[in-house]
Amino acid sequence: MIDDEPTCQMSMDILLSNTGYTLVSASGGIEGLKYLENNHRDIDLVLLDLMMPDMYGLNVLSEIMSHPELCKIPVIIQSGTNDHKEIDRSISFGAKAYVRKPYQRQQILDVIDKILNDKI
């Protein structure tokens, strides 16, 4: 999960508890990209926020999609934005899905399960 908000990281950790998923959090785009570059073989999916102070989420997504190894990792945009242009842009940049914050446990689990089982 790449998100600058500790509350969102903690919430996602709680939502994913007892699911078999392991959450690794990065507190911004720069940190997240470094982690992905060093650990991409161990990452099955990225939850990416759009609004971060160090690097805008679409720029992070663009970096992920331009990297030959990172582009294989599915990305879910998870953001509080209502801006449909930004949501559409994120999908056109390669994100597999968008989930609006705040989300419910079953909602995020359904999206993750669908992506990891190649149903999206």
Side-chain angles (χ1 to χ4, degrees):
M1 177 177 198
I2 302 173
D3 195 315
D4 65 305
E5 293 291 329
T7 305
C8 291
Q9 293 174 2
M10 185 172 49
S11 294
M12 185 60 71
D13 195 37
I14 292 168
L15 290 173
L16 295 179
S17 66
N18 299 316
T19 62
Y21 296 122
T22 301
L23 182 69
V24 176
S25 296
S27 61
I30 295 169
E31 180 183 328
L33 286 170
K34 286 180 185 176
Y35 186 86
L36 287 172
E37 288 173 4
N38 293 323
N39 300 282
H40 59 85
R41 289 178 185 88
D42 301 324
I43 304 297
D44 295 315
L45 181 134
V46 173
L47 297 163
L48 176 61
D49 187 24
L50 288 180
M51 306 297 179
M52 296 181 289
D54 70 332
M55 191 173 185
Y56 187 57
L58 287 178
N59 295 337
V60 175
L61 180 60
S62 180
E63 289 289 324
I64 290 171
M65 292 301 143
S66 68
H67 189 285
E69 293 297 323
L70 302 184
C71 69
K72 299 173 186 173
I73 303 170
V75 176
I76 297 171
I77 300 297
Q78 45 96 39
S79 180
T81 187
N82 277 327
D83 186 342
H84 292 286
K85 288 181 184 178
E86 289 301 281
I87 296 164
D88 292 343
R89 283 183 66 204
S90 67
I91 299 301
S92 73
F93 279 24
K96 295 291 184 186
Y98 165 78
V99 178
R100 180 154 163 55
K101 293 178 185 177
Y103 31 72
Q104 300 298 314
R105 183 174 198 258
Q106 197 56 54
Q107 176 192 26
I108 195 70
L109 291 177
D110 287 347
V111 172
I112 290 171
D113 289 342
K114 285 178 186 175
I115 289 174
L116 292 180
N117 292 313
D118 289 322
K119 295 179 183 173
I120 290 183

